[in-house]
Amino acid sequence: MSRISDAFCKRKPLIAYITVGYPDIETTLKLVPMLEANGVDIIELGIPFSDPLADGVTIQNASYQALQNGVTPEVCLSVAARLKEKTSIPMVFMGYYNPVYNYGLSEFCNKAAAAGISGLIIPDLPPGEAEDIEATAKEAGLDIIFLLAPTSTDERIKLVAAKSGGFIYLVSHSGVTGATANLPADLGSFVSRVRKAARQPLAVGFGISTPEQAADISKYADGIIVGSRIIQLVQADPSLEKVSGFVRQLRKALD
């Protein structure tokens, strides 16, 4: 069992996404231990990219600012290594395939594992075309976590269930990331459809922005993923007090 899978055995995990280097590296280094202290179980470290096709405006802007700050995959690896000394929860890189491929699959996976990363989420990499990085990641001890959307076919669900490590990332709605007031009414049915084919834990992300939504989703999913709302609160309050309060509310809702 991987460190990521193990996190689902203890309680319903709260998974938090942040963009590395937004608004700056020092904030990233402070934010991750603070998130852990307030109830986060897994951290997604976003690698900034110039064309983040799965992300909405909030994360697009964070990625753009991080790029302007000079954040590269090499910088992300360095930050992860520093965070490894500050946190005990699993860390996952979430990023697009082009930067990883250009870096070199074997070199990137080996350096990521050495920096304390436990898995990779690559939203623009279809599971049927992931053989090269799957083999490399497995050798390095990394989980490759694949995504499913409500529009996924039964064939795609079976393929992801056969390949995904750690957990399966369920996208709550078609489209891009971003905090929303209302989640789809049939989200529970989507989770049930995937559960029939999957042995892995199922975590829901995209659009979760309130403790009430978290509590509702926890009735049928194994964990939740929150990103855009956390980034919005970091922007609104550099002291990070609003983020810590919000995360505590989410943790209470899940418990």
Side-chain angles (χ1 to χ4, degrees):
M1 180 177 291
S2 71
R3 290 190 69 211
I4 296 171
S5 301
D6 188 54
F8 285 83
C9 297
K10 300 170 183 175
R11 58 184 180 180
K12 296 217 170 189
L14 172 56
I15 304 169
Y17 169 94
I18 63 171
T19 301
V20 176
Y22 176 81
D24 51 49
I25 295 296
E26 289 308 311
T27 298
T28 301
L29 294 171
K30 289 191 296 184
L31 185 56
V32 170
M34 182 276 290
L35 291 170
E36 178 183 13
N38 285 283
V40 167
D41 302 285
I42 299 172
I43 294 286
E44 287 183 23
L45 296 173
I47 300 174
F49 183 51
S50 59
D51 189 22
L53 57 87
D55 295 310
V57 173
T58 298
I59 295 178
Q60 285 181 20
N61 289 339
S63 189
Y64 175 78
Q65 183 167 332
L67 289 171
Q68 294 299 109
N69 292 341
V71 177
T72 63
E74 189 68 49
V75 171
C76 292
L77 288 164
S78 175
V79 169
R82 294 173 68 182
L83 288 170
K84 180 183 177 183
E85 307 303 319
K86 295 173 175 281
T87 185
S88 61
I89 58 177
M91 297 185 294
V92 175
F93 271 147
M94 183 167 186
Y96 294 85
Y97 191 59
N98 185 272
V100 175
Y101 180 80
N102 285 336
Y103 194 96
L105 299 183
S106 180
E107 186 176 6
F108 182 84
C109 288
N110 288 330
K111 284 188 175 181
I117 296 296
S118 297
L120 305 175
I121 301 171
I122 306 175
D124 61 341
L125 181 65
E129 301 176 17
E131 290 85 357
D132 289 345
I133 195 167
E134 281 182 289
T136 305
K138 185 175 181 179
E139 282 186 22
L142 301 175
D143 287 326
I144 298 286
I145 299 158
F146 289 103
L147 294 83
L148 288 169
T151 53
S152 297
T153 63
D154 290 343
E155 182 180 6
R156 173 58 67 91
I157 290 173
K158 289 178 182 176
L159 181 60
V160 166
K163 288 177 171 285
S164 195
F167 66 92
I168 297 175
Y169 191 134
L170 300 186
V171 175
S172 67
H173 57 81
S174 300
V176 297
T177 60
T180 58
N182 298 297
L183 294 171
D186 60 351
L187 183 54
S189 298
F190 168 47
V191 176
S192 296
R193 185 160 68 97
V194 177
R195 200 176 292 286
K196 291 176 182 177
R199 70 189 187 283
Q200 302 93 327
L202 307 179
V204 174
F206 282 43
I208 301 170
S209 60
T210 69
E212 292 75 19
Q213 290 172 337
D216 186 51
I217 293 171
S218 72
K219 295 173 184 175
Y220 45 81
D222 302 309
I224 68 161
I225 304 160
V226 181
S228 294
R229 186 58 183 152
I230 288 174
I231 290 175
Q232 288 170 353
L233 292 173
V234 170
Q235 182 180 22
D237 178 18
S239 76
L240 306 182
E241 285 300 316
K242 288 185 178 180
V243 176
S244 62
F246 174 64
V247 168
R248 286 195 298 272
Q249 290 176 336
L250 291 176
R251 180 72 265 162
K252 184 177 180 181
L254 287 175
D255 292 341

